[in-house]
Amino acid sequence: MKKKLCLIITIVIIMSVLSGCGEKAEIALITDIGTVEDGSFNQGVWDGIRRYVDETAISYDFYRPSDTDLDSYMKAIKTAVKRGAKVVVCPGELFGEVVYTAQFKYPKVSFILVDGEPHNEDYSDETIADNTMAVVFSDEQAGFLAGYAAVREGYTNIGFLGGDTQKPVIRYGYGFVQGADYAAIELGKMVTINYCYGKTFEESPEMVQLASSWYQNGTEVIFACAGAMGHSVMKAAEENGGLVIGVDVDQSRESPTVLTSAMKELANASYRGLSDYYNGSFQGGKTLLMDAGNDGIGLAMDTSKFVNFTDAEYNAIYGQLVDGKLVPYAGCDFGNTFDLTLVNTTVNYLELVDS
């Protein structure tokens, strides 16, 4: 009897992790493998949803899939729809194929894909249905600002550690390298950048070890563009006297080592999508670009630890992005930076080998 009771309790716990609290909810967030308190992407999108429902009192919930495969995501969406979801918010590039499938399977449900666009498995069809609104960000602009600020602050040995070769991550990294080179040219300095994709968005001892080795060999600041894996970099920074540039949201509260954060206004994206939906102006079938021109990206200046890089310098470089005087290259075909033309910057590209 005790074994049977334990089994029932275990099943209930698993279902609650997968499916939220079980109540009816008009607005649903499907998280990736992370949580709504990951201090990064999921939390940023969730904050926008909460801000909207605080103003409207519409029911809402989040659903955390059991894994990151298509079937697990689709099961979470199915659960959300069964519980009354009228609009489903999905965060990130990982949901591209998921939303592509779901938008046709559930034509009466609206989808907001934040930081991604729908596509089939081989990208031969990238149809955005009328019930889907896609939002993308100028990641390369945010990355550019981060690299520029780091070098203007005085750092010349820096690093980029991305989660994987997803398009937004590549754009972040490419922007970071270009921004660093632009500042290096202005200052007449030479900059070295360690550059690697860790092949994970999760915390791991291996990533702590990798980041620690960089710090111990002279890297001063690492741009950790990797979701929850960024916490591994922060741990390494804390243990080795290094600094971190956060990503997606202001991560200054996550660690005293955070110099600044390259931010996407994720909360604004989910809030705007929901507002458009309930106001009857939902931009289905379209992709909305959020960039410097509409305050879609930026650095966390108010909570930064900059000593030399000033607000005036930030506003000046930001203005050049707004005006189109600076247009960072955003190619995603390679990911290794070999296709970038750099003047005062050397990139040491490290490719991890699966053991």
Side-chain angles (χ1 to χ4, degrees):
M1 181 64 182
K2 288 184 178 179
K3 289 184 178 179
K4 188 173 181 179
L5 179 59
C6 288
L7 178 60
I8 292 172
I9 292 173
T10 300
I11 291 173
V12 169
I13 292 173
I14 292 173
M15 288 303 293
S16 66
V17 170
L18 172 65
S19 306
C21 66
E23 299 177 356
K24 292 285 186 179
E26 277 193 28
I27 299 171
L29 170 70
I30 311 299
T31 72
D32 57 24
I33 198 63
T35 71
V36 294
E37 296 180 346
D38 64 357
S40 187
F41 208 93
N42 289 297
Q43 185 169 345
V45 175
W46 183 241
D47 286 346
I49 294 172
R50 287 178 36 165
R51 172 155 50 104
Y52 184 78
V53 299
D54 283 346
E55 297 174 2
T56 60
I58 296 172
S59 58
Y60 71 112
D61 204 349
F62 72 91
Y63 302 82
R64 187 181 182 188
S66 58
D67 209 337
T68 57
D69 59 276
L70 178 63
D71 287 343
S72 297
Y73 284 137
M74 289 301 295
K75 286 178 181 177
I77 291 175
K78 181 179 180 180
T79 300
V81 173
K82 280 187 174 181
R83 292 183 178 167
K86 294 181 178 179
V87 56
V88 175
V89 184
C90 298
E93 178 75 14
L94 288 172
F95 283 92
E97 186 181 353
V98 179
V99 172
Y100 175 86
T101 304
Q103 65 185 356
F104 299 118
K105 185 171 183 179
Y106 303 105
K108 294 183 179 180
V109 176
S110 292
F111 293 88
I112 302 171
L113 177 53
V114 179
D115 204 26
E117 294 177 286
H119 60 81
N120 64 354
E121 184 176 6
D122 63 2
Y123 287 84
S124 61
D125 186 10
E126 299 182 358
T127 299
I128 304 174
D130 289 341
N131 61 329
T132 296
M133 172 185 176
V135 182
V136 297
F137 295 84
S138 182
D139 312 281
E140 69 279 3
Q141 288 186 343
F144 185 97
L145 292 170
Y148 182 84
V151 174
R152 293 291 303 194
E153 179 67 8
Y155 301 110
T156 56
N157 291 294
I158 58 181
F160 172 80
L161 188 52
D164 207 342
T165 52
Q166 295 178 6
K167 289 181 180 180
V169 178
I170 295 174
R171 290 194 294 263
Y172 263 136
Y174 271 44
F176 182 71
V177 172
Q178 292 172 84
D181 192 52
Y182 194 82
I185 293 169
E186 287 184 339
L187 296 172
K189 294 183 177 181
M190 300 302 297
V191 171
T192 300
I193 302 178
N194 286 335
Y195 197 103
C196 179
Y197 298 100
K199 297 185 177 181
T200 180
F201 289 91
E202 294 296 300
E203 296 183 59
S204 72
E206 292 78 13
M207 291 301 103
V208 175
Q209 183 177 7
L210 175 61
S212 293
S213 70
W214 285 10
Y215 287 126
Q216 291 164 10
N217 285 282
T219 298
E220 299 160 295
V221 184
I222 296 176
F223 181 20
C225 185
M229 190 259 274
H231 294 126
S232 298
V233 182
M234 292 172 193
K235 181 178 181 181
E238 290 166 4
E239 293 174 351
N240 293 279
L243 291 170
V244 178
I245 295 175
V247 73
D248 293 335
V249 297
D250 183 356
Q251 294 190 303
S252 59
R253 292 175 295 179
E254 303 296 316
S255 169
T257 65
V258 175
L259 176 65
T260 187
S261 299
M263 301 189 302
K264 302 174 185 179
E265 296 297 342
L266 300 166
N268 288 348
S270 53
Y271 179 92
R272 177 171 175 174
L274 291 171
S275 179
D276 286 352
Y277 174 80
Y278 282 100
N279 289 336
S281 56
F282 188 72
Q283 299 185 50
K286 299 179 181 178
T287 296
L288 171 66
L289 174 64
M290 299 192 71
D291 60 8
N294 56 14
D295 294 322
I297 57 90
L299 292 185
M301 293 297 291
D302 292 343
T303 57
S304 74
K305 293 181 173 61
F306 292 130
V307 175
N308 301 315
F309 184 61
T310 66
D311 286 343
E313 289 176 311
Y314 174 71
N315 292 334
I317 197 69
Y318 196 95
Q320 291 187 58
L321 292 172
V322 172
D323 295 339
K325 294 178 180 178
L326 283 176
V327 183
Y329 173 66
C332 298
D333 293 336
F334 297 97
N336 53 22
T337 75
F338 297 168
D339 50 331
L340 292 178
T341 300
L342 305 172
V343 179
N344 282 27
T345 301
T346 299
V347 176
N348 299 319
Y349 180 73
L350 170 66
E351 184 170 2
L352 298 183
V353 178
D354 294 328
S355 57

